[in-house]
Amino acid sequence: MTDTHLRRPLWHRLAALSIVALLALAAALPARANSLAFLVKQINTAPDPHPDSSPSNLYAAGGTLYFTADNGNSGAELWRTDGTSGGTRLVKDINPGKDGASPSSLADLGGTLLFSASDGGFFDNRELWRSDGSAAGTVPVKDIRPGPFGSSPASLTQVGQLVYFSADDGSSGAELWKSDGTSAGTARVKDINPGAAGSAPLGLTNVDGKLFFIAYEASGARLWTSNGTAAGTQPVANVDVGACNFSPRSLLSWNHKLYFGADDGSGCELWQSDGTTTARVADIFSGAQGSYPAWLTVAGGALYFTATSSGAGLELWKTSGAGATLVRDIRSGSGGSDPYELTEMSGKLFFMADDGQSGYELWSSAGASTQQVKDIVPGSDRSAPDDLTSYLTRVGTTLYFRAFTPGAGTEIWKSDGTSGGTVPVKDIFPGSSPSAFSATPAALTAFGGALYFSADDGTTGVELWKSEGTGATTARVKDINPGGSSPDLGALTAVGEKLYFRADNGSDGAELWISDGTGTGTRMVRDIAAGAEGSYPDAMTRVGARLFFVAYTPASGAELWKSDGTGGTTAMVKEIYAGSGGGLLDELTEAGGRLFFRADDGDSGLELWTSNGTDSGTHVVADINPGPAGSVPRDLTNVGGRLFFVADSGGGHELWASDGVTTALVKELVAGPGDADPGDLTAAGGKLFFTADSGGGRAIWVSSGTAGGTLPLKVYPTSSERLPPANLTNVGGTLFFTADDGSGTELWKSNGTVAGTVRVRDIGGGPAGSYPERLTAVGGRLFFTAEDGSAGRELWTSDGTSGGTQRVRDITPGPVGSMPSSLIDGGGALFFAASDGINGYELWTSDGTGGGTLMVQDIAPGAANSNPSDLARAGDLLYFGATTGARADLWALPTLSGAPVVVYLPLVLR
């Protein structure tokens, strides 16, 4: 091993440690892989731009204010606050990684929070969750729709000791469900509209302990009521409520009745129902058009709402329960003042309206007096923000809202109902309004006698704020996402012992970088697109000792580039699409020592190209579909030095092959104009495997490269509930894949014969399946993630036999699982990212045994996530992106033949 070997910087640091010190430190460390990942280089040292945490969905339950926010590491997750910085914390990282669980539709059930969230499975996989405010007490309630799709609970509404909601169990469509917060107590109330479409319940409203809602049937949308039983779930009246209730706040409980919009053939008007008797309140706009009542709000013993009439346009109306009265024609004539955000405070109604002279401003109404509270921006200009969302919110006897003024931009205001008492609270973002809408106050919510909201002060990004009505009491609660500039680290690609990657140093934009594992040897190769925008190199592909990639410049657009690791050898190969527009250029693939890719030169459409790194050697391989449409090749795959791909010559997508000189159709999978849509091309054992549908369902196919040697192996009938074969992966010459033959999506394998295409093991043990994903070959063995119904999504391994297919380790005990991701062969051992529920999302390794499955290092100490990503091995170093605090940078881990080097160092190497 030469003196310039990549591990030399690590060994230099090890030399200072004595054997005694190493042994003492080893004894003190917890059980984990005893190697130390080190920060290669902090690429971006520019001042932090302070990204947003974007608090939203603020909701009070059990004396706690919950909300969703993104701390920069965990994605949008569930948070809680007591109004202090120390009391503002992440409840639980439900979906480890940067995607987040995105909690929504929050509801309070006796102090327990119920909500909808995704744990990161297939297709969002959103299900019903509950929380008592602690991490341990935040758990899924029930997997209503087992498998990949999730039941997507929505419109959670508390009625008595139950929460009602809409959910889709996969067989009945979206129907009405109920829950008492337990799995056993969560059930479908009634299949109102049998079939896959469901009744799609919406507008769920509690009226004195009885649920009212809108449900869709074949005949249209009707009003229904429910007492929680199938027999007690019945339609209320045969009037159309579908088109009448898409306006804001168009259903309301008042005086033991539901008020709502309905159409009995005479247009959408205001109706009322107690569940037995249903009647129209008033016919405001005679004829088929209707008045479309909205913003139903009770104030001072009357029900106020907005409605459109033939003479006054859209104006403010009120009713005592029989008939309706126009409160005032605020904007004289048929134009209407367009009132919105009706809000009650101290028996008086407040709202926003435009009288035609002052623009949209704050108004009030009580008794016979309806007047403008204050013309905040004098003249015809309005104080309402650009999106007209003012967030009128009552906290005690103070009305808060947001308003725009030319000098201060959009800020928080308050009003006591008088002109003099309508004043700005604080200029949070000094100066005129930022151009980004997200920088303005939003999500105003009353809690504990104070106002909570999201806002940007121009320094810390959009964060959680609190106000008690004065400038001194208006302050940021916590900087949840404290900033940190990301180097936009990605596209890690090994070429020999060099690592190429994309990064942004904060001044030159995203450019091409190279690393030998040392700080000094980590540098930008070339500033291809001068300025802060960067060339954003992507699709990095090794051909021999050279790197090819796609990069953007303002002059040429996206074109093909090459590099040998120096600025002088980094150059555009050829301007394929002349001019600054650039052409679509991607799917870079090496086959037979040549580079293949698809590109559009502006004349021939998207076709197959090849390149040897020179201008003259970069050309179209074959114009398969002459003309500007192109053949749109895809799924370029190297099989033994020959390129296979899918292309359309004008008669449908078929399988093609090329050696760079001769390009020909392999086989017409469907005769005539039909299209088998081949895809998922994968090389294994010297053969090409792919999926295609030539009739009867999507099948696994095999090809030797000839028409006679291209045939289907097994057909898997597909439907909306069955996933087609996918995740094709070569493991030592055997093809592994996932498929559903009617007994759930499970792990399968094939040796290229019909008899040898079999299911490996029924892990899920039922029709739901275990939904294996992230299939990764390591040393002739398969690793993957799956759910067996008891341990959540965890790491599994397989040698191709049923008995040899086992869960490796239950890393995070319980139903959530450790959610392993970024699986990679580190040279004989598996490396991946996972969370054990204690140390956050960190780097792990596995040799396929439970004892040999260990966390490599807690890079972001404690419950914080370092979110290892873009793992790539070059030489004896495993490189990856990781986050400490709020900063993502390039890290590396020494390995020997795939195993982490046994090293104990208490310091982060710089």
Side-chain angles (χ1 to χ4, degrees):
M1 189 173 293
T2 67
D3 185 56
T4 58
H5 195 272
L6 287 179
R7 290 184 288 110
R8 183 186 63 178
L10 181 61
W11 305 137
H12 281 185
R13 289 160 175 80
L14 291 177
L17 294 179
S18 68
I19 298 298
V20 175
L22 286 173
L23 293 174
L25 182 57
L29 287 176
R32 64 182 62 168
N34 301 323
S35 62
L36 189 69
F38 60 93
L39 176 65
V40 176
K41 184 166 186 169
Q42 186 175 330
I43 294 170
N44 192 339
T45 58
D48 295 346
H50 298 291
D52 308 327
S53 71
S54 302
S56 61
N57 295 313
L58 277 66
Y59 185 84
T64 298
L65 183 66
Y66 293 92
F67 59 99
T68 62
D70 182 352
N71 63 7
N73 296 325
S74 304
E77 290 287 356
L78 184 67
W79 285 67
R80 59 175 294 174
T81 185
D82 61 3
T84 67
S85 178
T88 302
R89 59 177 176 81
L90 175 69
V91 176
K92 184 170 186 173
D93 191 0
I94 294 171
N95 182 12
K98 295 200 173 192
D99 290 338
S102 299
S104 62
S105 197
L106 284 62
D108 182 6
L109 183 61
T112 297
L113 183 75
L114 268 64
F115 58 99
S116 172
S118 168
D119 65 4
F122 278 98
F123 301 98
D124 190 36
N125 198 26
R126 185 168 291 273
E127 289 291 353
L128 185 67
W129 284 67
R130 72 170 186 262
S131 178
D132 61 3
S134 69
T138 302
V139 295
V141 175
K142 183 171 186 171
D143 190 3
I144 294 172
R145 186 175 185 175
F149 298 99
S151 65
S152 300
S155 302
L156 274 66
T157 303
Q158 179 268 333
V159 180
Q161 301 302 310
L162 296 172
V163 163
Y164 292 87
F165 57 99
S166 167
D168 183 352
D169 63 2
S171 61
S172 304
E175 289 290 354
L176 183 67
W177 283 66
K178 66 179 179 180
S179 177
D180 63 2
T182 69
S183 177
T186 301
R188 188 181 65 206
V189 177
K190 184 170 185 172
D191 189 2
I192 294 172
N193 186 23
S199 65
L202 54 83
L204 280 65
T205 305
N206 180 356
V207 180
D208 294 346
K210 181 183 290 186
L211 178 73
F212 286 80
F213 61 99
I214 296 169
Y216 286 82
E217 306 161 81
S219 58
R222 288 193 292 174
L223 184 68
W224 284 64
T225 185
S226 178
N227 63 1
T229 68
T233 302
Q234 300 291 336
V236 171
N238 193 24
V239 290
D240 183 8
V241 295
C244 304
N245 291 280
F246 289 110
S247 301
R249 215 183 300 161
S250 51
L251 292 86
L252 180 75
S253 172
W254 181 52
N255 279 349
H256 316 296
K257 295 179 181 179
L258 179 77
Y259 287 78
F260 59 101
D263 184 357
D264 64 351
S266 302
C268 290
E269 295 291 353
L270 184 65
W271 287 63
Q272 62 178 219
S273 178
D274 61 6
T276 303
T277 303
T278 302
R280 186 171 58 197
V281 176
D283 188 5
I284 293 172
F285 199 132
S286 298
Q289 179 171 335
S291 65
Y292 285 88
W295 291 109
L296 276 62
T297 306
V298 175
L303 174 63
Y304 289 85
F305 59 99
T306 65
T308 302
S309 63
S310 58
L314 183 59
E315 289 289 357
L316 183 67
W317 289 69
K318 70 177 180 179
T319 181
S320 60
T325 305
L326 175 65
V327 175
R328 176 177 169 179
D329 189 0
I330 295 173
R331 184 171 186 170
S332 299
S334 59
S337 66
D338 190 18
Y340 66 94
E341 292 195 19
L342 278 62
T343 304
E344 185 273 340
M345 185 178 74
S346 302
K348 186 181 286 189
L349 182 76
F350 291 84
F351 57 97
M352 301 295 294
D354 181 0
D355 62 1
Q357 299 175 356
S358 304
Y360 286 98
E361 296 288 355
L362 182 65
W363 285 67
S364 69
S365 181
S369 174
T370 299
Q371 59 188 0
Q372 186 183 92
V373 176
K374 185 170 186 170
D375 190 3
I376 294 174
V377 180
S380 59
D381 290 338
R382 66 175 186 258
S383 67
D386 288 344
D387 65 347
L388 301 184
T389 305
S390 299
Y391 290 108
L392 271 63
T393 304
R394 176 177 60 84
V395 181
T397 58
T398 300
L399 182 74
Y400 291 91
F401 60 101
R402 63 178 198 166
F404 172 85
T405 57
T410 302
E411 294 290 355
I412 296 290
W413 284 60
K414 68 175 182 179
S415 178
D416 61 3
T418 67
S419 178
T422 301
V423 295
V425 175
K426 184 174 184 175
D427 190 1
I428 295 172
F429 196 132
S432 58
S433 179
S435 58
F437 167 72
S438 63
T440 62
L444 277 64
T445 303
F447 175 70
L451 179 76
Y452 289 79
F453 56 98
S454 65
D456 183 356
D457 61 1
T459 303
T460 57
V462 179
E463 295 292 350
L464 183 67
W465 285 67
K466 173 185 176 183
S467 178
E468 294 179 3
T470 66
T473 61
T474 301
R476 186 180 62 246
V477 176
K478 188 183 183 90
D479 189 2
I480 294 171
N481 190 349
S485 47
S486 168
D488 189 22
L489 190 71
L492 276 65
T493 304
V495 179
E497 293 194 342
K498 299 175 184 176
L499 179 79
Y500 290 89
F501 60 100
R502 178 182 63 243
D504 183 350
N505 62 8
S507 58
D508 296 307
E511 291 292 354
L512 181 68
W513 284 64
I514 193 170
S515 179
D516 65 359
T518 69
T520 56
T522 301
R523 56 179 173 79
M524 184 168 63
V525 178
R526 176 178 170 181
D527 189 5
I528 294 173
E533 188 66 26
S535 65
Y536 210 86
D538 203 2
M540 297 187 195
T541 304
R542 178 181 67 85
V543 180
R546 175 177 289 167
L547 179 77
F548 287 88
F549 60 99
V550 178
Y552 170 87
T553 62
S556 302
E559 293 291 355
L560 181 67
W561 285 66
K562 65 180 179 181
S563 179
D564 289 337
T566 67
T569 63
T570 302
M572 185 190 303
V573 176
K574 183 186 184 98
E575 188 168 12
I576 294 173
Y577 193 110
S580 60
L584 178 61
L585 195 159
D586 59 5
E587 295 221 20
L588 278 64
T589 305
E590 184 276 335
R594 300 178 63 89
L595 177 73
F596 291 89
F597 59 98
R598 65 177 189 174
D600 182 355
D601 62 3
D603 296 321
S604 303
L606 204 58
E607 289 290 355
L608 183 67
W609 285 63
T610 187
S611 177
N612 63 1
T614 68
D615 185 296
S616 60
T618 303
H619 54 81
V620 175
V621 175
D623 192 1
I624 295 173
N625 187 16
S631 65
V632 195
R634 58 175 169 82
D635 287 287
L636 279 62
T637 304
N638 179 359
V639 184
R642 190 179 182 194
L643 185 79
F644 287 80
F645 60 100
V646 177
D648 183 357
S649 62
H653 295 88
E654 299 293 354
L655 183 65
W656 290 69
S658 177
D659 60 7
V661 178
T662 302
T663 302
L665 176 70
V666 175
K667 181 174 184 175
E668 188 175 11
L669 304 180
V670 176
D675 192 337
D677 188 28
D680 303 299
L681 277 63
T682 304
K687 306 182 185 71
L688 175 74
F689 291 86
F690 61 98
T691 67
D693 187 351
S694 59
R698 202 147 188 91
I700 290 286
W701 288 63
V702 67
S703 177
S704 64
T706 66
T710 302
L711 67 156
L713 298 175
K714 183 174 178 63
V715 178
Y716 298 86
T718 55
S719 68
S720 61
E721 299 306 318
R722 288 190 192 177
L723 292 176
N727 300 307
L728 280 64
T729 304
N730 174 25
V731 183
T734 298
L735 181 79
F736 285 81
F737 60 100
T738 60
D740 184 353
D741 65 352
S743 55
T745 299
E746 292 294 352
L747 183 67
W748 289 66
K749 69 175 182 179
S750 177
N751 62 3
T753 67
V754 173
T757 303
V758 295
R759 187 174 63 191
V760 177
R761 177 179 168 182
D762 185 7
I763 296 172
S770 65
Y771 293 94
E773 59 181 354
R774 307 185 192 278
L775 277 63
T776 304
V778 179
R781 191 173 189 86
L782 177 73
F783 286 87
F784 60 100
T785 70
E787 299 185 36
D788 63 0
S790 63
R793 184 158 292 275
E794 289 290 355
L795 183 68
W796 286 66
T797 187
S798 177
D799 61 2
T801 68
S802 178
T805 302
Q806 301 288 337
R807 186 174 65 233
V808 177
R809 175 179 169 182
D810 190 2
I811 296 174
T812 303
V816 176
S818 64
M819 303 300 294
S821 67
S822 300
L823 279 65
I824 186 176
D825 179 359
L830 178 77
F831 290 89
F832 60 101
S835 171
D836 61 2
I838 300 172
N839 293 291
Y841 218 56
E842 296 292 349
L843 184 66
W844 285 65
T845 186
S846 178
D847 62 1
T849 68
T853 302
L854 304 164
M855 183 171 66
V856 173
Q857 185 173 328
D858 192 7
I859 295 173
N865 304 306
S866 71
N867 290 319
S869 61
D870 289 293
L871 278 64
R873 189 168 185 257
D876 284 338
L877 288 177
L878 178 73
Y879 293 88
F880 56 97
T883 301
T884 54
R887 184 182 296 280
D889 270 304
L890 181 66
W891 285 67
L893 175 73
T895 64
L896 284 175
S897 301
V901 177
V902 179
V903 174
Y904 294 94
L905 280 180
L907 303 175
V908 175
L909 303 181
R910 300 281 179 173

